[in-house]
Amino acid sequence: MRPQLTLYLPGLLIASGNDHTELGRCRGLETLLARAEQKSQTGGTTGYEHELFRLFGLEQEENTDLPVAAVSRMHDMGVIDKDWWLRADPVHLSLQQDRLILTDARRLDITQDEANRMVAEIMEVFTADGWLLKAPRPDRWYLKPARAPKITTTLLSRAIGQDVHPFLPGGPDGKAWHTTLNEIQILLHTTTVNAEREKDGKLPINSLWFWGGGRLPRIKPVSWTHVWSKEPVSLSLARLSGTPGDNTPDRFEDWHKLAVRPGEHLVVLDDLQHAAIYGDAQEWNNALQRLERDWMMPLLQALKSNTITNATLITDKGMSFSLTSRQARHWWRFPRPLATYLAAQP
């Protein structure tokens, strides 16, 4: 029995900032989309993390967060516990007229030493409040408060490049957390780390973004034989579900040599996502061309030769494209430019 492949491609149909008419052709990807059966998800929230959790049978409950913090912490710290955790990621807020625009850590070039020193300064103030703040990675910080607050938060991916005011914590304890956030911002303004960063011409880390609060979810058995990814949430969800997980190889051919077990393989390729969120046309186009060269064209050839029997492409816009080896050989279904799919997105 040959492997079946599901590719999760966040950012594929969110090419904000691009002039769609100037996109280069991607013959492999366009042919796969043209010959596939297309389905739209009805109901539920779409987006990167929502679709990722949905691939493991998890939906967001009303008036709660997706528990991203507890899940990604499993990967970053290598431990499992039942406590309530909140992501407290370092960000930069820039004042533009009357708006505060968020830039996330991937564009701040934070070192582990800077993260450790800043966390230590924050803990000097908030230890008395029962806080435990950890920075296992420069860009992903984790907070366990004395008690689980009654708040709802906004995914970081949704707030990037946006005015943060509409996305601040809500719920019964929301205003108290606004006050806490203001206190942290004042504290960060005076840190030696930021003084050094500004001297070096770097943006200061002048705020934290609280999001993804909750406890580890319970996952029912899933259909995946193996999960391949380079990002922490999917690898942790795989571990919680008892599914083997490994880093995604850079090329389809390398993955195909490793995917020796029959069954359904989930591969997460998220290089497009960050560029799409920021509307970075050049970065998005470069990532798209790598995707075409390293994955889409080789996948099309593998389907045509029947070395892969089934493939499904899933986006974070609630769209899926599924095709069999036989459908991949339907030569009369001519490919349309990718720009036509992008232009059709809301």
Side-chain angles (χ1 to χ4, degrees):
M1 182 178 178
R2 292 175 289 273
Q4 302 173 46
L5 175 61
T6 294
L7 279 170
Y8 180 38
L9 304 169
L12 177 63
L13 299 183
I14 318 177
S16 54
N18 278 290
D19 181 350
H20 299 160
T21 62
E22 296 183 0
L23 285 175
R25 295 302 299 269
C26 297
R27 293 292 182 179
L29 174 59
E30 292 167 354
T31 301
L32 289 168
L33 296 180
R35 298 179 184 178
E37 293 184 12
Q38 179 177 334
K39 293 182 180 179
S40 298
Q41 178 181 289
T42 56
T45 305
T46 58
Y48 172 63
E49 291 89 354
H50 288 97
E51 189 59 46
L52 194 54
F53 272 70
R54 198 172 287 124
L55 288 168
F56 287 86
L58 299 170
E59 294 281 353
Q60 183 173 2
E61 297 180 6
E62 189 175 357
N63 297 322
T64 64
D65 290 350
L66 284 176
V68 175
V71 171
S72 62
R73 178 179 173 272
M74 269 184 61
H75 178 271
D76 289 339
M77 300 193 71
V79 295
I80 300 176
D81 66 35
K82 298 181 180 180
D83 293 329
W84 192 97
W85 288 91
L86 182 70
R87 285 277 287 268
D89 291 344
V91 299
H92 173 78
L93 301 180
S94 58
L95 182 62
Q96 299 181 17
Q97 297 180 345
D98 60 342
R99 305 190 306 159
L100 284 173
I101 305 300
L102 186 147
T103 299
D104 77 330
R106 281 177 287 187
R107 301 207 168 190
L108 298 181
D109 189 25
I110 304 170
T111 67
Q112 188 63 56
D113 177 66
E114 288 175 330
N116 293 341
R117 290 162 59 196
M118 297 194 90
V119 165
E121 291 193 48
I122 294 171
M123 285 300 294
E124 285 182 9
V125 176
F126 287 94
T127 297
D129 294 337
W131 276 27
L132 178 61
L133 181 64
K134 296 283 187 179
R137 286 182 48 94
D139 56 341
R140 295 196 289 270
W141 299 5
Y142 297 90
L143 171 63
K144 181 170 73 172
R147 64 174 182 84
K150 297 178 181 179
I151 58 172
T152 54
T153 67
T154 300
L155 299 172
L156 177 61
S157 58
R158 187 180 176 194
I160 290 173
Q162 304 295 320
D163 177 18
V164 301
H165 289 109
F167 302 124
L168 293 173
D173 293 338
K175 289 188 176 180
W177 278 77
H178 295 182
T179 300
T180 297
L181 185 58
N182 288 335
E183 293 172 352
I184 290 174
Q185 290 168 350
I186 293 171
L187 174 61
L188 293 177
H189 181 71
T190 64
T191 62
T192 55
V193 169
N194 274 331
E196 294 167 2
R197 287 179 62 85
E198 293 189 81
K199 184 178 179 181
D200 293 337
K202 296 181 178 180
L203 290 174
I205 303 160
N206 58 12
S207 190
L208 302 182
W209 191 251
F210 298 127
W211 68 288
R215 305 177 193 274
L216 284 176
R218 294 182 177 180
I219 300 182
K220 297 178 181 178
V222 296
S223 61
W224 310 120
T225 294
H226 206 114
V227 174
W228 307 82
S229 178
K230 293 181 180 179
E231 70 85 44
V233 175
S234 50
L235 289 174
S236 290
L237 290 172
R239 183 179 174 186
L240 281 173
S241 67
T243 307
D246 284 293
N247 283 347
T248 309
D250 292 333
R251 303 185 307 159
F252 172 84
E253 290 91 342
D254 297 330
W255 168 81
H256 198 203
K257 292 176 183 176
L258 296 172
V260 294
R261 297 181 62 196
E264 297 184 66
H265 291 250
L266 173 64
V267 174
V268 179
L269 298 174
D270 62 346
D271 287 351
L272 292 166
Q273 186 216 9
H274 198 245
I277 291 172
Y278 271 102
D280 189 328
Q282 187 62 53
E283 183 182 339
W284 190 89
N285 276 309
N286 290 341
L288 180 65
Q289 293 306 316
R290 291 193 301 271
L291 178 71
E292 167 71 9
R293 179 193 67 213
D294 297 337
W295 283 88
M296 297 297 102
M297 186 58 77
L299 171 59
L300 177 61
Q301 297 304 321
L303 282 164
K304 286 182 175 180
S305 63
N306 205 32
T307 56
I308 294 287
T309 58
N310 296 275
T312 299
L313 312 183
I314 296 177
T315 78
D316 50 350
K317 294 292 287 183
M319 303 294 298
S320 68
F321 302 83
S322 300
L323 74 165
T324 63
S325 179
R326 180 180 179 182
Q327 290 170 318
R329 296 191 293 271
H330 287 178
W331 55 267
W332 57 88
R333 291 190 175 181
F334 296 107
R336 294 182 292 149
L338 183 61
T340 62
Y341 296 92
L342 297 169
Q345 297 305 305

